[in-house]
Amino acid sequence: MTNIRDIARLSGYSVSTVSRVINRQNYVSEATRTAIQKVVDELDYVPNAVARDLSRGRTQNVGVVLPHSDHPYFTQLVHGIMRAAFEANYHVVLLPSKYDAALELQYLEDLRQKAYDALIFTSHGLPLTELNHYRRYGSIVVCENPQRCPIPAAYAERQATYEAAFNHLKQRGANHIGILASRDVAISATTQAMVQAYQTVFGQPLAAAAIFTGVATPADGDRAGQYFLTQIPTVDAVLTNGDDIAVGMLRAYRRAGVKPPYLIGQEHQLAGEALNLPTIDHHFEEVGARAFKLAITGQTQNVAIPSEFLLPK
Amino acid sequence: MTNIRDIARLSGYSVSTVSRVINRQNYVSEATRTAIQKVVDELDYVPNAVARDLSRGRTQNVGVVLPHSDHPYFTQLVHGIMRAAFEANYHVVLLPSKYDAALELQYLEDLRQKAYDALIFTSHGLPLTELNHYRRYGSIVVCENPQRCPIPAAYAERQATYEAAFNHLKQRGANHIGILASRDVAISATTQAMVQAYQTVFGQPLAAAAIFTGVATPADGDRAGQYFLTQIPTVDAVLTNGDDIAVGMLRAYRRAGVKPPYLIGQEHQLAGEALNLPTIDHHFEEVGARAFKLAITGQTQNVAIPSEFLLPK
DNA sequence: TTGTAAGCGTTATCAC
DNA sequence: GTGATAACGCTTACAA
């Protein structure tokens, strides 16, 4: 592989002059520039990107940790991150984690090894304090409300919107409500927000049996439907964790020939619109863009983006 | 920043011995290993990832060029690529292109500069011959049928499936058919496949007016609906380029209070299932995984994955 | 305007 | 088992 020293030797100039030419800097005479460019062209030379990164001490890479890549939460977030990263001349590296603590730790170690300038956790299994500990090695941003933990964060402000959704159900006269969630209330801030909003609106805690967790795909929604059909048939309204998931749930009721409960979706996907479901738009693209900006500015700051409760048109 | 030479100096051993310790290699005495490890721990030392990449001459990065990241074709493809990349210990770098030739060229130049070990084009604006030209600098794979161009490719074999779809329409007695496409028939192999399938099934070319292009989002589907409503009201069946897009198109008819034509979707999304639309599953995840494998093995080979025409259950 | 030389932090080869 | 030293390929003070 031909390198900058080869060009220097063959052109008869020094390495630094060659460097100036390939980086289009000043202080090079036109004649010199032409002579060096000629050799560059002849040898089909280009500078090595990795050597540049090493020399500069940064990569312009931002790692994005994703538990899974097939959920709208993550695709929307990634989309927002990419838009902002592109504008700032950064590259987005996708890091699948499956909520595996060992993997998450590996990515933190990669940050420490300067493989990325910053790391964005769209979600995570490790405790926030653990993530926070790695901030000494590089910028880290999470996409959730970090509460008392002083770590940079951009996230959807869900509480008020969940309350609006439950108020909507209350006004419709729903009196036995279920919710669907991705992860258990003990470990997920999102699930906590839903449960908390229920309590605020209805003045009493949500029964544990009314919370169906482990839901990430339409097929899970179907399972949830079967659960409510058989275990809690009196449920008359369900706040699901995705329009797609609501559709999966409806499938179970349709199969059973039973009138489904009133469903509210999330993520503002098309499947919901097709069925005229109310939904919640969390504006995750905006969240992603803001997360990226925090990541490269390195400010310890929290940005909350308000969600929106949407009734079908 | 503490580096391997610091560790060598402080531990009293040489750089090479330190290197052996941090890379867990043999030929190091237990005592030496312990002594060096102690200094490593004290100084909180980790090797620099970029320096390693430079020294090794490769990055374990694969770049994935995406015209846009919000279309199911791309998300499914990326998902498949990520799965395969993860298994092979590669990292996926997302490269947005918007079909911009200058950007695509930039990414090819990045490959040439060894920023990536390989590049996957999920779609592209540049001619295949141009991409092929850059293969001398690194592995390149496209996700379409490259026809006569000898470039590695993994793609969905659509022709037979489009024919199945048109045959389905024929049997239902449809006699005025429209199609929706992302890009013009002149530049898109996908659009060509649809048009060609129509001709094969119906024995005559599809009228140019029956092809509505520039469709990528549900809103575009809505526009397409308005077009057919006002310009070609006799259309009684449309092969759309996405379930989501079909839903957008239905919206236009619903607004106008007009019975919509019979719609076929694509991508096997949930929106289609909600409305009982027939659809086409192109198995893009599998395509992505195969594309990745071609990318790292470097074989000049074409892999065609058959699509599937699906009637609603 | 150009050149020298010291980084950047590893890995790999070969000698001892 | 261990160590010198040469790559890897570039950027950037600083000197001339």
Side-chain angles (χ1 to χ4, degrees):
Chain A
M1 162 145 306
T2 137
N3 63 28
I4 197 171
R5 270 183 291 272
D6 297 335
I7 305 298
R9 191 163 18 80
L10 270 77
S11 65
Y13 289 90
S14 74
V15 165
S16 36
T17 304
V18 173
S19 178
R20 281 184 202 106
V21 169
I22 60 181
N23 291 305
R24 309 175 189 296
Q25 289 181 18
N26 300 322
Y27 305 115
V28 180
S29 77
E30 219 27 73
T32 305
R33 188 179 295 279
T34 311
I36 289 176
Q37 190 60 51
K38 180 154 172 283
V39 178
V40 165
D41 292 342
E42 269 167 9
L43 296 200
D44 195 29
Y45 166 78
V46 274
N48 179 293
V50 180
R52 276 185 155 162
D53 284 346
L54 177 62
S55 195
R56 292 202 188 105
R58 55 192 164 68
T59 59
Q60 297 285 107
N61 280 346
V62 51
V64 177
V65 179
L66 300 167
H68 20 253
S69 52
D70 52 355
H71 189 286
Y73 167 67
F74 300 107
T75 47
Q76 290 170 29
L77 222 38
V78 167
H79 195 207
I81 293 171
M82 277 183 73
R83 250 207 349 230
F86 180 80
E87 282 170 17
N89 232 301
Y90 271 72
H91 284 156
V92 172
V93 182
L94 258 29
L95 308 172
S97 73
K98 309 176 234 162
Y99 285 121
D100 178 332
L103 268 175
E104 291 181 0
L105 209 52
Q106 178 60 60
Y107 297 137
L108 289 167
E109 285 294 331
D110 291 346
L111 175 71
R112 187 175 166 210
Q113 299 185 3
K114 304 282 176 214
Y116 317 109
D117 295 352
L119 219 45
I120 298 174
F121 280 85
T122 60
S123 187
H124 55 95
L126 289 175
L128 276 176
T129 51
E130 181 77 17
L131 302 188
N132 205 28
H133 176 260
Y134 273 86
R135 284 179 58 210
R136 70 181 75 180
Y137 305 119
S139 184
I140 297 179
V141 178
V142 298
C143 297
E144 73 185 41
N145 186 335
Q147 309 289 355
R148 309 239 151 278
C149 187
I151 191 170
Y155 57 92
E157 181 61 72
R158 310 166 118 110
Q159 194 70 32
T161 316
Y162 285 147
E163 287 174 18
F166 283 125
N167 272 315
H168 173 69
L169 293 182
K170 195 177 183 182
Q171 276 162 25
R172 287 182 52 94
N175 51 30
H176 197 167
I177 291 174
I179 71 175
L180 264 46
S182 159
R183 295 187 297 154
D184 195 84
V185 66
I187 55 170
S188 163
T190 303
T191 312
Q192 281 156 28
M194 290 199 269
V195 167
Q196 177 57 50
Y198 178 91
Q199 168 130 19
T200 302
V201 171
F202 288 97
Q204 53 180 314
L206 184 62
I211 310 173
F212 189 89
T213 58
V215 180
T217 67
D220 297 331
D222 192 316
R223 283 196 309 106
Q226 293 170 49
Y227 168 77
F228 284 110
L229 265 167
T230 57
Q231 306 300 313
I232 319 190
T234 56
V235 154
D236 54 6
V238 177
L239 174 56
T240 70
N241 58 337
D243 292 0
D244 276 3
I245 286 158
V247 171
M249 192 165 166
L250 285 175
R251 189 162 44 190
Y253 281 86
R254 188 193 296 172
R255 230 185 11 250
V258 174
K259 178 171 181 291
Y262 182 76
L263 299 186
I264 296 181
Q266 282 191 65
E267 321 308 354
H268 196 192
Q269 297 168 271
L270 234 83
E273 178 165 348
L275 297 172
N276 289 307
L277 299 182
T279 188
I280 294 173
D281 189 328
H282 293 297
H283 301 306
F284 287 131
E285 255 197 67
E286 176 66 12
V287 171
R290 300 299 291 272
F292 174 80
K293 277 165 198 161
L294 286 179
I296 58 166
T297 58
Q299 331 167 48
T300 304
Q301 201 183 97
N302 286 6
V303 178
I305 309 286
S307 299
E308 215 175 335
F309 179 57
L310 299 170
L311 288 170
K313 293 189 198 117
Chain B
M1 160 144 310
T2 139
N3 64 28
I4 199 170
R5 269 185 288 272
D6 297 334
I7 304 298
R9 189 161 22 79
L10 269 77
S11 66
Y13 289 89
S14 73
V15 164
S16 14
T17 305
V18 173
S19 178
R20 280 184 204 107
V21 169
I22 60 181
N23 291 305
R24 309 175 189 296
Q25 289 182 19
N26 300 322
Y27 304 115
V28 181
S29 77
E30 219 26 72
T32 305
R33 189 179 296 276
T34 312
I36 289 177
Q37 190 61 51
K38 181 153 172 284
V39 179
V40 165
D41 292 343
E42 269 166 9
L43 297 200
D44 195 29
Y45 165 79
V46 274
N48 178 293
V50 180
R52 278 187 153 160
D53 283 347
L54 175 61
S55 196
R56 292 203 188 104
R58 57 191 161 68
T59 60
Q60 298 286 106
N61 280 346
V62 50
V64 177
V65 179
L66 301 167
H68 19 253
S69 51
D70 54 355
H71 189 287
Y73 168 67
F74 300 108
T75 47
Q76 290 171 28
L77 222 38
V78 166
H79 195 206
I81 293 171
M82 277 183 73
R83 251 208 347 233
F86 180 80
E87 283 170 17
N89 232 299
Y90 271 74
H91 284 156
V92 173
V93 183
L94 258 30
L95 308 171
S97 73
K98 310 176 234 165
Y99 286 120
D100 178 332
L103 269 176
E104 291 181 359
L105 208 52
Q106 178 59 60
Y107 297 137
L108 289 167
E109 285 294 332
D110 291 347
L111 175 71
R112 186 175 166 208
Q113 299 186 4
K114 303 283 178 212
Y116 317 109
D117 294 351
L119 220 44
I120 298 175
F121 280 85
T122 60
S123 187
H124 55 95
L126 290 175
L128 277 176
T129 50
E130 181 78 15
L131 302 188
N132 204 27
H133 176 261
Y134 272 85
R135 284 179 57 209
R136 71 180 74 181
Y137 305 119
S139 185
I140 297 179
V141 178
V142 297
C143 298
E144 73 184 43
N145 187 334
Q147 308 289 355
R148 309 240 149 277
C149 187
I151 191 169
Y155 56 93
E157 180 62 72
R158 311 165 117 108
Q159 194 71 31
T161 316
Y162 286 147
E163 288 173 17
F166 283 124
N167 271 316
H168 173 70
L169 293 182
K170 195 178 185 182
Q171 276 162 24
R172 287 181 51 95
N175 52 31
H176 196 167
I177 291 173
I179 71 175
L180 264 44
S182 158
R183 295 187 297 155
D184 197 84
V185 65
I187 55 169
S188 163
T190 302
T191 312
Q192 280 157 28
M194 290 197 269
V195 167
Q196 178 57 51
Y198 178 91
Q199 168 130 18
T200 303
V201 171
F202 290 96
Q204 53 180 314
L206 183 62
I211 310 173
F212 189 89
T213 58
V215 180
T217 67
D220 296 331
D222 192 317
R223 284 197 307 107
Q226 294 171 48
Y227 168 78
F228 283 110
L229 263 167
T230 57
Q231 305 300 312
I232 320 190
T234 56
V235 154
D236 54 6
V238 176
L239 174 56
T240 70
N241 58 337
D243 292 1
D244 275 3
I245 286 158
V247 171
M249 192 167 167
L250 285 176
R251 189 161 45 191
Y253 280 85
R254 188 193 296 173
R255 233 188 5 254
V258 175
K259 178 173 181 291
Y262 183 76
L263 299 185
I264 295 181
Q266 280 191 66
E267 321 307 356
H268 196 190
Q269 297 168 271
L270 233 83
E273 177 166 347
L275 297 172
N276 288 307
L277 299 182
T279 189
I280 294 172
D281 189 329
H282 292 297
H283 301 306
F284 287 130
E285 256 198 65
E286 176 67 13
V287 172
R290 300 300 292 271
F292 174 80
K293 276 165 199 161
L294 286 179
I296 57 166
T297 57
Q299 330 167 47
T300 305
Q301 202 183 95
N302 287 4
V303 178
I305 309 287
S307 298
E308 214 174 337
F309 179 56
L310 297 170
L311 288 170
K313 291 188 202 121

